[in-house]
Amino acid sequence: MLYAYLRIDRTSKVTSFEKVMVVGIIVCAVADAAIAITFIAGLVIFLLGHVVYICGFAMKINWSLKHFSIIIPLLIIGAVYGHLLIQNIQAQEAWLIGPVVAYIIVISVMVLMAFLTRNPFAMIGSLLFYLSDAVLAWNMFVESLKYSTVYIMSTYYSAQLLIAHSINKIANKS
């Protein structure tokens, strides 16, 4: 959060984009604390954080049809991975299927929007967030992974750092 704040160019007026993105980082930090207490609370708060990121990235994207090609691999990955997760969730806690599917859709849209900014830090950060959540879900619902906490937290904090780093670069892009 501090890094995101420090990345804002305070020599000029803070933009709505910068404010929204810092709020996204704060919401995700709250979600990180909440998920340690209860999975569903963390899931819902992270979902809200991704919605905030979507709103922020939407302010700065290049609306070009050719850049939407990223949607094809996202749809394939989301559908295949979601199908595998749903099979395992159904056997354990079927009531989680709806929230997990909603989360997969929202985080996929967040990745798409990050790619549409064409900022490499936002793009890599969003992919690392996706990877972090994929490992977390696999570890929870499919099979326990050795060193899962290391994988989850290293990719999550790297994602947040890269998204924070992208704020100033995206805000100052014409």
Side-chain angles (χ1 to χ4, degrees):
M1 289 185 292
L2 178 61
Y3 183 73
Y5 173 75
L6 293 174
R7 292 291 303 155
I8 294 173
D9 180 9
R10 286 176 299 287
T11 60
S12 59
K13 185 178 181 220
V14 176
T15 67
S16 296
F17 168 77
E18 292 167 316
K19 291 175 188 175
V20 168
M21 295 304 288
V22 169
V23 167
I25 289 170
I26 292 167
V27 171
C28 288
V30 170
D32 187 35
I35 206 163
I37 299 166
T38 170
F39 174 74
I40 195 67
L43 179 82
V44 170
I45 298 168
F46 268 122
L47 186 142
L48 294 173
H50 293 310
V51 169
V52 173
Y53 281 150
I54 289 166
C55 293
F57 288 141
M59 295 175 182
K60 294 291 185 172
I61 64 174
N62 298 314
W63 289 102
S64 171
L65 197 55
K66 71 177 185 175
H67 296 124
F68 273 87
S69 61
I70 184 67
I71 203 164
I72 295 166
L74 282 174
L75 285 172
I76 293 168
I77 292 166
V80 170
Y81 195 78
H83 178 72
L84 291 170
L85 283 179
I86 289 168
Q87 287 179 326
N88 285 281
I89 294 170
Q90 203 164 19
Q92 299 171 31
E93 299 185 58
W95 69 274
L96 282 173
I97 292 173
V100 168
V101 168
Y103 188 84
I104 290 170
I105 291 168
V106 169
I107 195 169
S108 296
V109 171
M110 187 273 292
V111 172
L112 172 65
M113 298 304 257
F115 267 75
L116 293 177
T117 68
R118 302 185 66 190
N119 177 278
F121 297 105
M123 292 166 27
I124 295 168
S126 69
L127 286 174
L128 286 172
F129 221 132
Y130 208 76
L131 179 61
S132 173
D133 289 349
V135 172
L136 184 143
W138 193 268
N139 188 62
M140 278 191 72
F141 300 117
V142 180
E143 66 180 299
S144 182
L145 301 171
K146 192 173 185 178
Y147 308 116
S148 62
T149 302
V150 173
Y151 301 137
I152 294 163
M153 299 314 287
S154 64
T155 52
Y156 164 71
Y157 284 115
S158 297
Q160 288 285 72
L161 181 67
L162 288 169
I163 290 169
H165 188 75
S166 76
I167 294 171
N168 182 267
K169 294 186 181 308
I170 295 171
N172 292 319
K173 186 172 92 175
S174 310

